[in-house]
Amino acid sequence: QLEESGGGWVQPGGSLTLSCAASGSLLTAAAMGWYRRPPGKERERVATMGRGEATNVADSVKDRFTISRDVTKNMLYLQMNSLKPEDTAIYYCWTAIIDKGAAYNYWGQGTQVTVSS
């Protein structure tokens, strides 16, 4: 089970930090990250990471968003700086678990981020 928090309203240029609390151990996840669904659009990948420290960040948010985790607390984070109106979306936490050769995707319920003046 995944639960996001930290969303809200912010003016352009502002910052927010999203948090995702995982009920299971992130150490067992093959991959984890953040996706978002802008209004009227499909869900898109924002930032992901595997079991190592390498991250994969979408070009649209590169140099502004940072993904990180604390496996001791089973927490995943998304630091968002220099927010733009086009970053407005529902943000979802995601993990992928590999079990007996099959991949299982888990999603949080989402948290709304609104960037406007």
Side-chain angles (χ1 to χ4, degrees):
Q1 183 176 358
L2 303 172
E3 184 171 358
E4 305 95 337
S5 61
W9 172 82
V10 64
Q11 292 185 330
S15 298
L16 282 175
T17 299
L18 303 183
S19 300
C20 174
S23 59
S25 172
L26 288 180
L27 290 173
T28 63
M32 62 205 74
W34 294 91
Y35 283 71
R36 68 185 182 186
R37 186 190 299 274
K41 297 184 179 180
E42 297 293 318
R43 186 166 57 193
E44 61 188 28
R45 181 184 63 83
V46 177
T48 57
M49 61 192 311
R51 289 177 172 163
E53 295 303 315
T55 61
N56 193 340
V57 182
D59 288 342
S60 59
V61 303
K62 196 165 290 185
D63 299 327
R64 299 189 298 120
F65 290 12
T66 302
I67 184 174
S68 63
R69 66 187 171 200
D70 185 338
V71 295
T72 64
K73 299 179 180 178
N74 291 324
M75 295 292 294
L76 187 67
Y77 304 100
L78 184 68
Q79 174 66 45
M80 305 185 294
N81 298 325
S82 302
L83 282 160
K84 304 175 180 180
E86 51 264 44
D87 294 319
T88 295
I90 300 173
Y91 284 71
Y92 299 91
C93 182
W94 162 80
T95 63
I97 307 294
I98 306 297
D99 185 20
K100 298 181 176 62
Y104 298 89
N105 292 304
Y106 296 89
W107 298 91
Q109 80 288 349
T111 185
Q112 176 72 47
V113 172
T114 302
V115 185
S116 71
S117 54

